[in-house]
Amino acid sequence: MLTGHGDDIHRYKGIRINFSSNVYNHFDHTGLFRHLAESLPHVLNYPEPTPVTLESRLSSMLDLRPSEVMVTNGATEAIYLIAQSFAGASSAILQPTFSEYRDACLLHHHILDGDNEEMIWLCNPNNPTGLTIDKADLLAIISENRDTVYVIDASYSPFTLQPLITPAEAVRYPNIIMLHSMTKGFAIPGLRLGYITACPMLLERIGKHRMPWSVNQVAIDAGHYLLSHIDDYRLDIHALMAERQRVASRLAEIGGIEVLPSDSHILLCRTLCGTAAMLKDYLARQHGILIRDASSFEGLDNSYFRIAVQTPKENDELINSLRQWTAS
């Protein structure tokens, strides 16, 4: 479960630029750090057994009822809670995608890729491809298959211009569960903070398997601060998508690098020189750049790697380093 994920920066020394996780690394967290330092005395007491105050705040912001929001210890806790709540179900997972869907399903004895699926798991925009599913097409499929529960991981929704199903739209369906990641949207992967949105019937079922105090007080305090300072964390998504297109075009010009289409800041690529593992090691040790070896994703071979677009200067360093790799 814990192998093959991005951002394994702990394994390397001297990493200067991190493309390996799907986080945009350039928000200014100074205010958050100051707030958390001032809030540290809160850790001397137990947090709320379930973070109801943060759920209430999120529901108000999303124009939902509190019964339609469940805050979790990152989107990963949400994945395992959902799999546990539907233990033994027949599930299908749209691949290639995040490995935790499959791991959670196997842990809770789901029947994978059988007939008559009771659950469909998908990531939209997808990791590692960055692609989205057409909103109208997806809603039509969901509407036509009311006996199937669709688990839609919307963790990367801040990073695309494509129309997506909103939480307010999703809760009107009795067969949609949506996952959301404050980790990605606010670039706080170390805090582990996410939430589920779904109709009350589904959330009540999931909530029966929820552990008390799974979301710690520091994460709760961070969540309240971030929701009070959303404007400080707004991406210029048009500029980021334009930069994604520029990077994709420049990479495609390099002989020995293949770039796949994307609708988000994620770019899935292939090296035609050596393997992704060799390329990752070369970039880390020779240039202080970390990428994601994507060969662990189901359906991808050892030539695939993934990056999340960062600043133009950092992107240019990656492009130049890849030129040197293919020329060596």
Side-chain angles (χ1 to χ4, degrees):
M1 293 180 192
L2 296 179
T3 59
H5 287 278
D7 202 8
D8 53 349
I9 196 169
H10 58 278
R11 296 181 54 222
Y12 298 91
K13 294 181 179 179
I15 296 298
R16 300 178 300 106
I17 310 173
N18 189 354
F19 293 93
S20 71
S21 74
N22 295 325
V23 171
Y24 183 75
N25 297 309
H26 297 283
F27 290 125
D28 181 0
H29 289 308
T30 304
L32 173 63
F33 297 157
R34 186 183 305 116
H35 173 77
L36 292 181
E38 294 169 354
S39 301
L40 280 178
H42 294 169
V43 305
L44 300 178
N45 301 300
Y46 280 93
E48 298 167 314
T50 57
V52 292
T53 55
L54 188 56
E55 289 170 350
S56 177
R57 192 165 189 171
L58 272 167
S59 65
S60 178
M61 185 188 76
L62 297 169
D63 197 24
L64 300 176
R65 293 174 290 176
S67 59
E68 295 168 331
V69 179
M70 179 184 294
V71 172
T72 57
N73 184 6
T76 300
E77 185 196 14
I79 292 166
Y80 281 83
L81 277 174
I82 294 164
Q84 183 180 10
S85 303
F86 291 85
S90 176
S91 284
I93 302 169
L94 274 62
Q95 300 283 5
T97 197
F98 188 42
S99 63
E100 296 297 341
Y101 312 140
R102 180 178 178 84
D103 288 346
C105 286
L106 291 174
L107 181 65
H108 294 290
H109 311 292
H110 287 228
I111 301 166
L112 293 177
D113 304 320
D115 296 327
N116 303 314
E117 289 88 359
E118 298 167 275
M119 302 189 76
I120 304 290
W121 299 71
L122 60 98
C123 189
N124 195 41
N126 188 40
N127 168 29
T129 65
L131 294 172
T132 58
I133 301 171
D134 181 82
K135 178 179 177 179
D137 290 346
L138 182 55
L139 284 174
I141 292 169
I142 292 169
S143 297
E144 292 167 4
N145 296 276
R146 293 288 180 142
D147 292 332
T148 301
V149 175
Y150 289 80
V151 183
I152 303 174
D153 188 343
S155 293
Y156 303 106
S157 59
F159 301 101
T160 187
L161 289 169
Q162 298 299 315
L164 302 172
I165 300 171
T166 68
E169 291 171 327
V171 297
R172 297 200 291 265
Y173 290 78
N175 60 330
I176 295 180
I177 302 171
M178 291 192 75
L179 312 182
H180 311 270
S181 172
M182 295 181 74
T183 292
K184 305 300 188 302
F186 293 96
I188 52 164
L191 279 172
R192 313 309 307 140
L193 195 58
Y195 57 99
I196 307 170
T197 56
C199 70
M201 177 189 68
L202 287 171
L203 275 193
E204 182 180 2
R205 178 172 180 170
I206 296 166
K208 291 177 181 178
H209 301 278
R210 195 180 194 184
M211 290 195 312
W213 303 300
S214 70
V215 183
N216 69 75
Q217 187 61 52
V218 175
I220 292 171
D221 285 337
H224 282 292
Y225 175 88
L226 294 169
L227 295 182
S228 297
H229 296 81
I230 285 178
D231 287 343
D232 295 338
Y233 291 86
R234 292 197 189 279
L235 280 171
D236 185 341
I237 187 61
H238 288 86
L240 187 61
M241 293 301 95
E243 177 64 6
R244 185 280 319 278
Q245 185 57 50
R246 184 188 75 89
V247 172
S249 298
R250 295 283 298 278
L251 290 176
E253 294 170 356
I254 302 174
I257 300 292
E258 180 184 346
V259 185
L260 280 69
S262 173
D263 296 317
S264 75
H265 70 315
I266 301 169
L267 284 174
L268 183 63
C269 309
R270 292 182 65 210
T271 175
L272 307 181
C273 310
T275 67
M278 295 165 59
L279 173 59
K280 177 181 178 179
D281 189 67
Y282 164 80
L283 290 173
R285 303 192 188 285
Q286 299 298 319
H287 298 277
I289 293 173
L290 190 61
I291 62 169
R292 167 73 152 93
D293 175 358
S295 61
S296 61
F297 286 95
E298 185 170 328
L300 302 184
D301 64 30
N302 65 7
S303 67
Y304 285 90
F305 66 95
R306 187 198 69 198
I307 63 170
V309 169
Q310 301 296 324
T311 67
K313 181 177 182 297
E314 291 172 333
N315 297 331
D316 284 342
E317 285 202 47
L318 173 65
I319 292 165
N320 291 333
S321 298
L322 288 171
R323 282 202 186 99
Q324 293 179 41
W325 161 259
T326 58
S328 61

